[in-house]
Structures are given as C-alpha cells and as structure tokens.
Amino acid sequence: MTPLQSRFALGDIHIPAVGFGTYLIADNDAAGVVADAISVGYRHIDTAAGYHNEAGVGGGIADGIARAGLSRDDLFVTTKLWPGNAAWGDPPKGYDETRAAFEASRTALGLDVIDLYLIHAPSGVEKRVEQWQALCDLKAEGVVRAIGVSNYTEAHIEEIRAAGLPLPEANQIELHPWSQKPDLVAFLRAEGILPIAYSSLVPLSTWRAEPGQSSAKTEEMKADSQSAESPFKTMAVRYGVSEAQLLLRWGVQSGYPVLPKSTNVDRMKQNLDLFSFEITRQDMDMMAAMDRGDGVAWATGDPRDIG
Ligand code: A2P
C-alpha cells in the first residue's frame, strides 16, 4: 500500500487517507506551502473559510497541480462553512448566507467543484438545519461531491435526522490517542458517517509549540508529551519511526483520514510515510487505554483553537 493509493470510502466517492491541513498557515504563506505539499505527494488539501487562507491555498493548488503535471481530478479539496456564532457577536448564517459563503469559498479557491464541504461547527444553533439544507442543495446541484459537518456531537446529527434531511457523509473531529471519543465514533460508524481526524499530533512535544501557535493544549498535557518516558516516544523507537508517524498511523489504522499540517518539507514527507509499518494489536490496545476525554481544540472556546 502506498500513500497515494491509500484512501477511504466517503459516501459514493473516496478520500485520501492522508491529507494536508492548513490551519494556522497565513494566507501569504499558503500558496508556497500547499504547492510544496502537492509536490511531495499530498492529494487532499483541507482548508476552511475560518482559516482566512483560501485564496493562498487556491493559488498553491493551481501551482502544485501545474508543477506535478496533475489534473484537477487528481486532487481532493475540503473547505468549510463558517456557520457564525452568536456568542462571539457573529450572527449565524441562514440558507442564503450559507450559499453565498460557499460561492465566496469556491471563488477564493479558484475551483468549480469542491470535493467535500463541511459545516465547521455546530455554533449556528437555530440556523443549523437551514445551513444543512443549503449543503444538501449544493450537493444535488453538483458543485460539491460530498457534504459533512465538523465538531458535531450525536445530538447535532440527530437534529438533522429529525428535520428529515439526509445525514452527513463525514464528521471532522479531534481524534488522537488522548481524545478517542469511542461513543461518538461508534455512533458515526453505525450511521455510515466517516470520522475524519484533526489535530492528530496533539500528544507530540512539538505540537504548535512555535510563537503565535497558541492553543488550548493544557500545561499538564504539554509536560506529559515532553517527558522522556512518553509512551509514544518509546513505542515509536521500537517501530523505527517518529512519534508523529506513530500518531498518524494510529489514525489511519483506526480507519480515520488524517490531516497533518507542516510547513517543513521533510516533515511533510515523513507525515505521508505511514504505510511501511503496522502498529500491533497489543500496542493498539495499549493506546486504547490512554483516552483522556474530549480533547483540547474546544477547551477554551477560543476561535483560534478550532482546528
Ligand atoms: P511544523 O509546521 O514546524 O512542522 P496540526 O496538524 O494539529 O495543526 O499540528 C501541526 C503542528 O505539529 C505544527 O506545530 C507542526 O510544526 C508540528 N508537526 C507537524 N509534523 C510534524 C512532525 N513530523 N514532527 C514534529 N512536529 C511536527
């Protein structure tokens, strides 16, 4: 199995197992970084209106496709609706505003069709069903190939069912050995909704450690990930891989597409290289016992922490 062949079913289509995340990449830097990611082999690029970098990402997609001699169809592109959040003084988007936001994203990215369009968060509250109706209509019109949600709980998905609308095809959520969400994942699996993992690298000592990458990661978690006895470090040494590769392999081996972000070309390549080793059942069981609950991305309610 090579990274480029490796993909998961998503409704009627397929999604690459390893995608490239672009959260916290500035619009000015995004074109170069994304073109590099495509050059080293990424075939799924994940962005969002809320990342404020869709124009740069779109430029990088165009450059990357040209540089690698690819066609548009070789690439899978995800972007997300910013749904609004009344608690932050940001009025929730209704049906027409959702469609207008989609057009703005599509224009910024320079693409006719988006492969996967997600509602970024359930924060639109009373407008959530209208937003979902708009996504269903965009799919029916053929301008998006698959639709889903992000950061939704079971209750938010049940709200869609109660409205009589088709269920999402994917739910992009924080998933790593410290945040495994077994009940939500079991629910998604039972409903045929693909869990997509973000922030797979949270347990890593270098996760968003640079200035300006502040996050909700707790000091306790930081201390644990940096400790010499980190179980991930010990395990990674045993497999002859990096901790990042071990954490990402945990995701794909669990059946989740992963979305690592790196601005460093060597680390980009490393994060794609997950298919020459397999985590044993015993080690997967050991990792299953490391769950610590909800995760860190939403811990503060700070919009900067929504990956
Ligand atoms: P960098 O961009 O300097 O490589 P997320 O995908 O959750 O946004 O996490 C990305 C964070 O993890 C960034 O701080 C990134 O730094 C770091 N990172 C990504 N890949 C690796 C890797 N293979 N080894 C170490 N750190 C990594």
Side-chain angles (χ1 to χ4, degrees):
M1 187 158 54
T2 70
L4 297 186
Q5 288 163 338
S6 170
R7 52 198 200 146
F8 294 110
L10 170 67
D12 301 335
I13 62 174
H14 288 92
I15 182 170
V18 189
F20 187 72
T22 64
Y23 182 50
L24 294 177
I25 300 178
D27 198 35
N28 282 343
D29 300 329
V33 173
V34 168
D36 283 346
I38 294 170
S39 295
V40 303
Y42 287 87
R43 295 293 177 264
H44 174 192
I45 308 296
D46 175 274
T47 182
Y51 299 171
H52 304 294
N53 62 11
E54 285 172 310
V57 167
I61 288 171
D63 287 355
I65 284 177
R67 233 201 264 173
L70 300 172
S71 70
R72 164 66 184 93
D73 294 347
D74 295 320
L75 218 64
F76 188 103
V77 180
T78 297
T79 193
K80 311 180 193 88
L81 170 77
W82 183 250
N85 186 337
W88 298 339
D90 176 10
K93 292 185 173 70
Y95 181 89
D96 291 340
E97 291 158 308
T98 297
R99 296 194 57 122
F102 172 75
E103 284 306 326
S105 285
R106 190 159 73 133
T107 303
L109 284 161
L111 300 173
D112 294 331
V113 173
I114 300 298
D115 297 281
L116 177 61
Y117 195 48
L118 305 175
I119 298 178
H120 204 145
S123 54
V125 193
E126 75 278 8
K127 298 284 175 73
R128 273 196 299 258
V129 171
E130 272 182 59
Q131 293 172 354
W132 184 247
Q133 179 69 65
L135 265 64
C136 292
D137 291 351
L138 291 167
K139 184 176 173 188
E141 290 160 25
V143 286
V144 300
R145 295 173 69 224
I147 51 176
V149 292
S150 180
N151 299 301
Y152 268 44
T153 64
E154 182 172 338
H156 300 127
I157 293 169
E158 288 297 357
E159 180 182 61
I160 291 175
R161 196 200 316 265
L165 294 173
L167 294 188
E169 293 167 282
N171 187 14
Q172 192 186 115
I173 50 179
E174 181 180 340
L175 281 173
H176 47 75
W178 284 350
S179 184
Q180 301 188 33
K181 304 181 171 72
D183 295 342
L184 178 57
V185 167
F187 168 77
L188 297 174
R189 292 294 190 204
E191 297 297 342
I193 301 169
L194 181 68
I196 300 176
Y198 73 72
S199 289
S200 298
L201 301 179
V202 165
L204 200 71
S205 49
T206 50
W207 188 73
R208 296 188 192 164
E210 298 292 317
Q213 297 181 333
S214 67
S215 76
K217 188 173 178 181
T218 64
E219 290 308 311
E220 180 208 345
M221 283 191 175
K222 234 178 209 165
D224 281 0
S225 66
Q226 288 167 356
S227 105
E229 298 90 60
S230 157
F232 305 116
K233 278 186 196 151
T234 316
M235 229 182 254
V237 167
R238 226 177 336 103
Y239 288 100
V241 298
S242 71
E243 273 180 273
Q245 286 170 308
L246 181 81
L247 291 165
L248 292 166
R249 176 73 203 194
W250 176 87
V252 295
Q253 205 168 308
S254 302
Y256 313 139
V258 292
L259 302 166
K261 166 253 161 191
S262 180
T263 50
N264 173 291
V265 170
D266 289 332
R267 289 195 285 276
M268 284 180 193
K269 288 183 188 162
Q270 186 193 113
N271 295 347
L272 263 184
D273 180 13
L274 309 179
F275 299 89
S276 57
F277 72 105
E278 188 170 354
I279 304 173
T280 62
R281 172 83 341 238
Q282 197 185 9
D283 285 341
M284 287 299 279
D285 289 347
M286 200 192 294
M287 290 163 105
M290 293 178 183
D291 192 17
R292 298 177 177 199
D294 283 345
V296 301
W298 283 86
T300 62
D302 177 347
R304 285 180 45 83
D305 291 326
I306 299 167

